[in-house]
Amino acid sequence: MRRRVQMGPRFRTSGILTLLAVAAGFGAVACELAEVTVTEAEEVVMAEIWFRVEEERSNAFAFLHRTIGHASTPVDGARVRVRGSGGVVADFVAESVGNCAEDTFPTAFEPSCYLLEGAPADALIQPGRRLEVEVTLPGGEGRLIGATTIPGDFALRVPAPVGTCALPPNRTLPMVWTPAEGAWAYLPEAELSGIRNALEPAGVHVPTDPTVLQGLAISQADTTVVFPTQFGIFNRFSDEGRELLLAIRDGLPPGVFVTLVVTALDRNAANWVRGGAFNPSGQIRIPSLFGDGTGVVGSVVNRGIQIRTEPPGERPSCLAAGSSASEAP
Amino acid sequence: MTRLLSLVLLGLFPLSLGAQEPGSIDGRVTGPEGEPLRAVTVSLLLPMEERLLRTQETDGGGYYRLAPLTPGRYRVRVLRLGYRPEEREVEVIAGERVRLDLTLALAPVALEGLAVEGERSRARARFEDDAGITSRELTRDEIRLLPGLAEADPLRAVEILPGVISPTDFSASFNVRGGSSDQNLILLDGFPLFNPFHLGGVFSVFNGDMVDRVELQSGGFPAEFGGRVSSVLRVESDPGPGDFTVDGGISLLAARAAVSGGLSRERRQALGLSTARWRFSARRSYVDQLLKPVATIPYHITDLQGVAEVWSRGGNRVVLSGYSGADVLDLGRLSLDDFPLRLHWEWGNRLLGARWMRSYLNGASAEAGAGVSTFRTDLAFTDFDDIRFRSDIRQLSLFARGESWMGGRWKGKAGLSADHYRYDNLAETGGTVFAGGLGDGWALAAFGQTEYRRPGRWLVETGLRFEGWLPDAGPVVWAPSPRVAAKRFFAGGDLAVKGSVGRYTQFVHSVRDEELPLGIDIWILAGDRAPHVVSDQVQVGVEGFPGDRWFAAADAFYRTFDGVITNNLADDPNDPSDDFLPGRGTGYGADFYLERRGPGPNGSLSLSWLKADRTFPDFLSGAEEVEEITYPPVFDRRVDLDLVVRLPLDGGWDIGARWHVGTGVPYTRPLASYAYFSPRQTRDGVLRWQFNPEDEPGGEPDDDQANPYGVILGPRNGERYPIYHRLDLSVRRTFTPRWGTVVPYLDVLNLYNRTNVLFYFYDFSGDRPVRTGLSMFPLLPTFGVEVRF
């Protein structure tokens, strides 16, 4: 039997109870139906447009592709235009796909990538701004429109935003940041490098290095997470994920380098990431681009820190709070 | 509505409508030791004719009342299985009451004919005494003869009744006349059970050996009913015969035993009791214990149920009921090599209730009760103690009601109730609360109801139920709910046309997604997070007894449901008030029911036609200004047919068969899929396909992996699965050794192995788009044995 009941990084997980019951019940007596060929999948243009505010720069990209079965035709020649609240307008520029996505794709998949960088991006993409987006598709295929309100600025308080800090081995780090106005959620993400070698003596197999783990804080007011204990919440139900997470729940071993980013998500980004109602055929995403296609126009504000697991010494301690000067206005 | 209120007021203030004042006959039927006999059939006949004019059953105190009666001479016939029948001739005089007490002598030889009459009389009594309510009943023996999943299941049995839909084989949960499943009030001995299912809905918690009868009330409720808007399912426990008996059984699901007994005559006399009897049962799944030496089965269920009934010599009756059940899934007992997820999950109901009842010689009766019912589910992960999933709901109930003849043809009924609800839900992991809620509230109700009765011609019920809802947060609700029902008898009282109209309210919701075929109800209360449900309902029908053992009924109905809710999966985490979206719905249709009871072949035919819809804001649209969509809910099965045949054969053989046909239920079809990417902020925000073959040994996604494709959906529930049909068969043989009875049985579900669709899976990722799916039950034989001594 092949199950297609899937869980993703959704905010509402009370459905876990239900899904466990479903799996148990179906495992008992349900049978797989015979495979039947169905009519061709509909051709729909997918647009994933992300506005990012970083510490020192802002940028945006639009990743355009088509639904499976039609995805070998790129969406080249589209015009992606963003309009700010002051009437400032900028067009995205076509770039190589690697600027939008890692180059591992499904078979016969030809996406298109458009970027907005530099001065136009810095002028438009600022915390708290509302941006309207219009995607005009090539060949008269139509257009998509949508709008996003970028979350407000915020700052890390613990650890202080000092570039790279030292976290003593086998210690947890209770992270705190200031609220980002209008954020629907925060998605803290940690990329752990050197974790495979660091855990090898303990007999813990880490399949990939670097390994990425995510935490979650829901709502503008939820501005804490404990690193690394509360990271990897979407990896807890897999065999290898469980082994790794149990090994690091009270802290990281020495010799691990961590790139840690706390991301404030706007409404559209949160809706796209968390998914919608149950459907046995796959994930349902809640869109924010409408018209002759579908997709997301999301915005995020990132604040990051780098961590080394080592005794405090030459680097400042990650456990120290930041000064008020480092907080967002 | 003004007209409706006028009718109610008219009913509450009786007018003199009859020219000649009627008389009445009442009295009490007792056994040889003076003990009151309940459920005795009291029939009224003319002196020289065999045609029944009226029938009634004695209540728990042995009391009966035949009224109003046109002055004249009558015969009163009293029948009960196991007792010698009695008959008296009496003269009824205008405006006077005739007192007729009868004592029945034991007649140990069971007379089949008497049993037949008794069964018929129950349906007949409902037909004659209820104006508007649509009520169907199944006895324990009928439930046992229905082919079941492992063993007789009283909740699955109601699926054969008209107006009842069960969208999947996997769930004993059901929907009635366009209502959602949380709108069914399920009562055990008068007290509510919130989630009376095992294994997420596959089995009900009711042990068939403990059940005396199950009665489904699917519409036309009079004013005394409240709490839910769609149906009331009454499960009545059997306190046993008062002697030591044991009913036991073993099925593929569980082993069970029910032990009954009672106080000796001397002790009863010493305590001033005429009757004291009890019955307790235990049921447990046993596969985990049976396979312990060779395998670890991490799941089991338990049920403990008890009922005790006491009668005082003065006619006071007290019934105590209790239930405690649990499902336990303990995956922590498995080896990590077998299953990486170590969790302990328990859920179950607890109920304790007490009722006092008393009947009086003038036909009046009184009842009061108190009880507490809880449902709790708790999920804990052994390795990650920061994951907490729990859901609790508790209801404390107090009620008192009474009824009395008010003179002439009028009867009055009134009552009060107070229910306190409390819920506490939490889903938390990784320091983040995903969902949760905590609240409580009082539901207060008072009702008054009058009944005008003109035997053989009219029965009119008018009532007003006034309900208040006082939540801890949110608006206080005061809701008057008028109810009117009328029945007009024809053909000498064998045929009736009826109609009813009423308003109903409900203050609790389950937020379970009914489109999932299994699941556990998560309850919340009306208040600042959710509205209360208001349902206006009208139904008309015709019913009657076309033959000696036949009953037929047809109802048409229309219902509205305002204030139903759905989970808002696009809720704003910064707004605690938008977790649930209010909506509305309608349901209309018609039910037909034909039933034959008695010796020889019997059974029933139910045919239902339904059109239901729900309207909610379309949160999946993603639009900032959300528009509403209207769609058929998953329980919108347009045509549903159930044919049930029970065939007793020589040599102790019994055969039961059920053929169920239903048109397809709706589903939402995916139109296309797309590669799903998620941004990696630690890698400059670039997107990454959810499935990266470089990360996976062999490059193939497995079941544990997040689905790498998203789907684009067509219209909500815009398609329907193919027609559903299934034939089930039950074969039983009763052996009667000297010490008791033994009944081995074989049940076969889906005898001709019909492939009924549970889900379709659309997969667009291969060379060609394909559709696979899962079926419901295949051919599924089960067997077991029942023992009684």
Side-chain angles (χ1 to χ4, degrees), chain B residues 393-721:
Chain B
I393 185 154
R394 186 196 67 193
Q395 181 179 351
L396 297 170
S397 303
L398 292 168
F399 64 86
R401 51 183 167 248
E403 65 178 81
S404 177
W405 286 95
M406 297 157 59
R409 304 175 189 276
W410 291 90
K411 192 177 188 180
K413 190 181 278 189
L416 296 167
S417 68
D419 294 88
H420 182 258
Y421 296 85
R422 182 179 185 279
Y423 80 101
D424 180 3
N425 300 326
L426 179 68
E428 180 181 22
T429 181
T432 292
V433 175
F434 286 74
L438 177 72
D440 68 297
W442 280 97
L444 307 174
F447 75 89
Q449 183 177 317
T450 63
E451 178 185 302
Y452 169 75
R453 183 179 292 216
R454 197 164 175 193
R457 301 196 66 182
W458 280 100
L459 189 59
V460 180
E461 291 171 354
T462 55
L464 180 66
R465 184 178 182 87
F466 195 80
E467 293 177 302
W469 174 243
L470 292 78
D472 64 333
V476 172
V477 178
W478 296 106
S481 301
R483 323 257 168 103
V484 179
K487 184 182 266 186
R488 176 73 166 93
F489 295 91
F490 299 96
D494 284 338
L495 178 69
V497 174
K498 66 178 185 179
S500 64
V501 60
R503 165 166 285 193
Y504 308 88
T505 53
Q506 178 172 333
F507 303 105
V508 295
H509 301 268
S510 166
V511 296
R512 176 171 72 87
D513 183 352
E514 285 202 60
E515 298 200 2
L516 284 165
L518 287 178
I520 290 178
D521 285 321
I522 305 293
W523 295 91
I524 66 161
L525 302 178
D528 57 348
R529 303 176 73 204
H532 67 288
V533 179
V534 176
S535 178
D536 290 323
Q537 303 181 9
V538 58
Q539 72 170 30
V540 293
V542 56
E543 60 187 23
F545 295 87
D548 245 4
R549 296 175 180 128
W550 293 87
F551 172 74
D555 283 352
F557 60 88
Y558 181 83
R559 297 171 151 192
T560 64
F561 303 97
D562 281 341
V564 290
I565 62 169
T566 188
N567 276 301
N568 179 10
L569 299 181
D571 69 310
D572 180 353
N574 301 315
D575 179 2
S577 67
D578 75 339
D579 292 352
F580 309 104
L581 295 173
R584 60 189 184 278
T586 61
Y588 59 88
D591 303 333
F592 172 73
Y593 186 57
L594 180 66
E595 177 188 63
R596 185 188 192 281
R597 289 189 171 188
N602 64 75
S604 63
L605 173 71
S606 298
L607 179 62
S608 307
W609 177 77
L610 169 71
K611 190 170 188 311
D613 64 52
R614 289 290 183 272
T615 300
F616 285 109
D618 183 13
F619 61 83
L620 285 179
S621 73
E624 291 182 0
E625 297 295 327
V626 178
E627 294 186 353
E628 289 185 334
I629 55 166
T630 298
Y631 59 90
V634 69
F635 47 83
D636 177 47
R637 174 164 272 158
R638 289 291 160 81
V639 179
D640 192 81
L641 182 145
D642 260 298
L643 176 64
V644 174
V645 176
R646 305 179 194 93
L647 193 62
L649 301 173
D650 292 338
W653 291 91
D654 287 289
I655 292 178
R658 177 194 178 198
W659 189 49
H660 183 198
V661 183
T663 53
V665 295
Y667 74 100
T668 305
R669 188 194 156 165
L671 302 175
S673 71
Y674 55 90
Y676 175 64
F677 294 82
S678 54
R680 282 285 164 88
Q681 301 302 340
T682 49
R683 297 180 184 175
D684 293 328
V686 296
L687 298 171
R688 178 182 172 86
W689 187 29
Q690 194 87 349
F691 168 60
N692 187 338
E694 291 172 3
D695 293 347
E696 308 304 325
E700 287 292 329
D702 60 29
D703 285 351
D704 295 330
Q705 193 180 15
N707 192 342
Y709 298 100
V711 289
I712 295 174
L713 300 178
R716 177 82 186 261
N717 283 352
E719 303 269 338
R720 286 180 183 264
Y721 290 126

Side-chain angles (χ1 to χ4, degrees), chain B residues 724-745:
Chain B
Y724 170 102
H725 54 94
R726 194 180 99 187
L727 176 65
D728 302 339
L729 188 68
S730 176
V731 180
R732 301 162 61 88
R733 184 167 186 202
T734 304
F735 296 94
T736 52
R738 274 181 298 179
W739 49 267
T741 59
V742 179
V743 185
Y745 63 88

